[in-house]
Amino acid sequence: MVVKIRLARFGKRNAPFYNIVVAHARTARNSKPLEVLGTYDPIPKEPLDGEGKAFKDIRLDRARAKYWLGVGAQPSDPAWRLLTMIGLMPKKFTQTQQSQSQSKNAAEA
Amino acid sequence: MPPRIRKASLSCPLSHLPLSTRPQPSSLIPKYLSQHGACSRDFSTSLQRSTGLRRDMFRWLNGPGAVFRDPAEGSTNYLSAYDREGNLNRRKRSARSDDAEAENSSVQEVPEEELIDLKPFPMNRNFISHNVLSEELREEIYSRVVTLGRSVRVVSAELGIDMNRVGAVVRLKTIEKEWQKEGKTLAKPYARAVMEMVPKTPYNPNNPIPHESINDLPVHSATMQQIFEPTSESRRFTREDAAKVFHPKLLPADKRIPHPELIELERERLESVPREERINRQRERLAKEAQLATWRKEKKEEYERKHTKVIAPKAGRWEFRFTDVSVDAAGKDGRGPDGVGWRYGMPHEDRKRGQVKIPTSVPA
């Protein structure tokens, strides 16, 4: 069975909070995973000193994430996006970006 | 049929009323004279029944209660501070204690309240009204903490006010000043009226009056048990040992009190170290403590910087902060309190009874 790195939604209504988990692909979203790698809080927090941008807090065990990727775990798209930011995965184009670049290539040719 | 027009009649003829209730210049009669027989509505001709309680009320209002119409200024005006005839108890006491002196000096002035005068509820003699911080004292706290930059602990020890209270005053004063800056109207007349009614701790710049006991030992649940601990007579059994008997990790009482630094100060005073020397030593200790605190804070920040990676996309509205954590922190069964992530097999408890949701600390 495929092992995936994906997000499991916890939190409340209008207050999402995600666990970044390693789980078998066919198991339910919030079922007990193989391992919890970390968390992703998608609600931006204002910095305490009031300066700079609001931030989204992500906690992640990088070494374990690397290990699971090494043994063939497949990140879901949102997980892929997060892993790209810390350089664990190559950048994946979003569909709009892809179509834009294709049309550009076609125009050049 | 005659038109049905209401008679514009004088519903409550004055001649029916007793003499005392007829409208008269208010300066001539007291306010609360209406004893009986007065009509409460203009159109009513019936006489109102007067009960014994009502008569008693007016008797009190016109008799002993009359003193409360013009309350004594600069003092509390609690019921139990007066006797049945409406005389101030403490004025009688002071007159009794110094007959000769009192006659000319303190006839007008109200003597200071004692504990017995500070009982606002005559039926509850156990309730004592305690002092509140006066406006000047609160202003002084704010200026010492914010303007002079002294720590809350130091200001608390200097003025004899609990640290929690000092913190609260600083926070409220900050809000007040902010509001003043924004041009918001403050309920000053209300505050003044309330402050006139309660006992206050004044601010004495040269010799601050302690507001409350600041160094009380908080009760720890581990110390709530009776233990019979046999010890050797030949060895000293100190507070450190007592703490260890209660719990191996319990700190001794000397360290659990809010102001442990005052112990050293008092010890030096008993050893008759000169005042200047004591002050210098205390200053050094405080400086060392502050240095340690900043060092700890810096260390923590450095650790966080080291373990946090900030990704700030140029076009994005926010940045992403990646903090490195360890999966092993959850322990063998994955249920450790330090473990990362929302826990599995654990229901939300926030709707459970008795869950406190009011924040108990301010994020620094």
Side-chain angles (χ1 to χ4, degrees), chain A residues 3 9 13 22 31 34 36 42 48 57-58 61 66 78-82 90-91 93 95 98:
Chain A
V3 171
R9 191 192 193 276
R13 186 202 291 176
V22 179
S31 60
L34 296 173
V36 181
L48 281 177
D57 195 23
I58 298 147
D61 189 337
K66 218 175 202 169
W80 191 301
R81 198 167 52 84
L82 293 178
K91 198 158 186 181
F93 281 103
Q95 216 142 37
Q98 222 158 15

Side-chain angles (χ1 to χ4, degrees), chain A residues 10-12 17 19 21 30-31 33 35-36 39 44 48 53-62 82 85-86, chain B residues 309 311-314 316-327 340-344 348 350 363-364:
Chain A
F10 287 85
K12 295 296 180 68
F17 187 88
N19 271 4
V21 299
N30 278 17
S31 60
E35 195 162 78
V36 181
T39 60
L48 281 177
K53 283 180 184 173
F55 67 91
K56 294 188 177 187
D57 195 23
I58 298 147
R59 300 168 163 272
L60 185 70
D61 189 337
R62 220 180 290 186
L82 293 178
M85 286 187 203
I86 48 169
Chain B
K309 196 176 173 190
I311 314 283
K314 266 180 229 157
R317 277 185 289 168
W318 32 71
E319 57 189 36
F320 296 84
R321 289 190 187 173
F322 284 82
T323 312
D324 215 1
V325 292
S326 172
V327 163
V340 69
W342 205 278
R343 277 178 61 176
Y344 291 85
H348 300 312
D350 59 346

Side-chain angles (χ1 to χ4, degrees), chain B residues 32 65 137 188 209 225 243 245 255 306 308 323-324 346 355:
Chain B
Y32 305 106
L137 189 50
K188 282 280 177 191
I209 304 160
Q225 47 184 336
V245 170
K255 287 184 181 158
K306 215 170 150 190
T308 309
T323 312
D324 215 1
M346 179 76 183
Q355 291 286 323

Side-chain angles (χ1 to χ4, degrees), chain B residues 209-220:
Chain B
I209 304 160
H211 178 69
E212 59 199 332
S213 156
I214 54 167
N215 228 357
D216 290 340
L217 178 67
V219 176
H220 192 280

Side-chain angles (χ1 to χ4, degrees), chain B residues 134-286:
Chain B
S134 62
E135 186 57 43
E136 308 85 65
L137 189 50
R138 280 189 286 148
E139 197 57 52
E140 181 62 24
I141 292 170
Y142 180 81
S143 78
R144 283 193 192 192
V145 173
V146 177
T147 318
L148 300 180
R150 289 183 201 165
S151 70
V152 170
R153 174 186 298 275
V154 169
V155 173
S156 160
E158 281 172 350
L159 299 175
I161 301 165
D162 190 82
M163 278 195 279
N164 291 326
R165 203 181 300 282
V166 172
V169 165
V170 171
R171 238 169 281 149
L172 288 174
K173 270 279 164 197
T174 313
I175 294 171
E176 188 186 314
K177 308 246 170 208
E178 247 170 50
W179 281 11
Q180 273 171 340
K181 217 182 272 171
E182 289 169 18
K184 280 188 187 173
T185 41
L186 305 178
K188 282 280 177 191
Y190 172 73
R192 215 177 300 125
V194 172
M195 288 301 272
E196 269 170 19
M197 287 187 239
V198 292
K200 293 173 286 290
T201 304
Y203 171 54
N204 186 352
N206 301 322
N207 190 17
I209 304 160
H211 178 69
E212 59 199 332
S213 156
I214 54 167
N215 228 357
D216 290 340
L217 178 67
V219 176
H220 192 280
S221 57
T223 62
M224 299 278 280
Q225 47 184 336
Q226 280 193 359
I227 298 176
F228 293 94
E229 172 75 8
T231 56
S232 161
E233 273 185 36
S234 59
R235 107 190 214 295
R236 283 163 65 106
F237 190 79
T238 58
R239 290 197 194 105
E240 276 86 357
D241 301 320
K244 272 193 197 115
V245 170
F246 278 125
H247 192 273
K249 281 184 178 173
L250 185 71
L251 287 174
D254 289 354
K255 287 184 181 158
R256 281 195 294 123
I257 53 175
H259 289 277
E261 77 278 6
L262 295 184
I263 293 179
E264 198 59 32
L265 206 64
E266 185 65 13
R267 196 168 282 149
E268 282 170 4
R269 199 182 64 82
L270 291 176
E271 284 167 5
S272 56
V273 177
R275 192 183 144 80
E276 287 296 310
E277 176 72 16
R278 266 187 285 146
I279 291 173
N280 283 340
R281 281 191 202 172
Q282 180 72 359
R283 216 164 266 164
E284 265 173 36
R285 275 195 294 266
L286 286 174

Side-chain angles (χ1 to χ4, degrees), chain A:
Chain A
M1 221 186 331
V2 180
V3 171
K4 301 206 88 170
I5 297 179
R6 64 188 187 190
L7 304 183
R9 191 192 193 276
F10 287 85
K12 295 296 180 68
R13 186 202 291 176
N14 299 335
F17 187 88
Y18 297 98
N19 271 4
I20 303 169
V21 299
V22 179
H24 287 301
R26 292 188 189 183
T27 51
R29 187 192 68 186
N30 278 17
S31 60
K32 202 162 183 242
L34 296 173
E35 195 162 78
V36 181
L37 290 180
T39 60
Y40 169 48
D41 188 353
I43 294 175
K45 305 267 176 308
E46 288 300 321
L48 281 177
D49 50 6
E51 288 170 19
K53 283 180 184 173
F55 67 91
K56 294 188 177 187
D57 195 23
I58 298 147
R59 300 168 163 272
L60 185 70
D61 189 337
R62 220 180 290 186
R64 286 305 286 174
K66 218 175 202 169
Y67 161 77
W68 280 110
L69 291 172
V71 295
Q74 297 175 6
S76 66
D77 282 355
W80 191 301
R81 198 167 52 84
L82 293 178
L83 294 175
T84 309
M85 286 187 203
I86 48 169
L88 287 185
M89 293 302 284
K91 198 158 186 181
K92 199 184 199 182
F93 281 103
T94 59
Q95 216 142 37
T96 49
Q97 282 170 323
Q98 222 158 15
S99 61
Q100 275 167 6
S101 64
Q102 272 169 4
S103 59
K104 210 185 205 176
N105 288 342
E108 277 171 13

